[in-house]
Amino acid sequence: LGDKLNIPVADLSRETAKDTLLKHNIDIQIIDSFIEVINNCEFAKYAPVSMDNQIENDYEKARKTINKLVEVLS
């Protein structure tokens, strides 16, 4: 997302990503989905137990969200 929207890595956060996506008139549902994917990834990173089904769900949601973002930002 940082590369696509020219956001420097040092400035990339949930807030800057959300603000930038809103400035590009991206649908709030896509933005919320993006933030949810980030949150789920961070949770999984620190979760003590692996949840294979949840990982597959998160992967599929991330794939769909990224495809939607690429579609509307192109």
Side-chain angles (χ1 to χ4, degrees), residues 3-60:
D3 288 341
K4 189 76 171 173
L5 298 175
N6 298 318
I7 303 171
V9 174
D11 296 334
L12 191 57
S13 69
R14 284 179 191 81
E15 308 310 319
T16 57
K18 184 174 183 174
D19 291 344
T20 304
L21 290 170
L22 285 170
K23 288 177 187 173
H24 281 83
N25 297 319
I26 304 300
D27 187 272
I28 192 68
Q29 289 178 328
I30 297 173
I31 296 170
D32 289 343
S33 180
F34 174 76
I35 299 298
E36 183 179 353
V37 166
I38 299 300
N39 289 338
N40 289 350
C41 288
E42 283 195 356
F43 177 79
K45 183 178 176 180
Y46 298 107
V49 177
S50 175
M51 300 174 281
D52 291 333
N53 190 31
Q54 185 62 39
I55 291 170
E56 287 180 32
N57 291 339
D58 289 340
Y59 174 81
E60 186 61 25

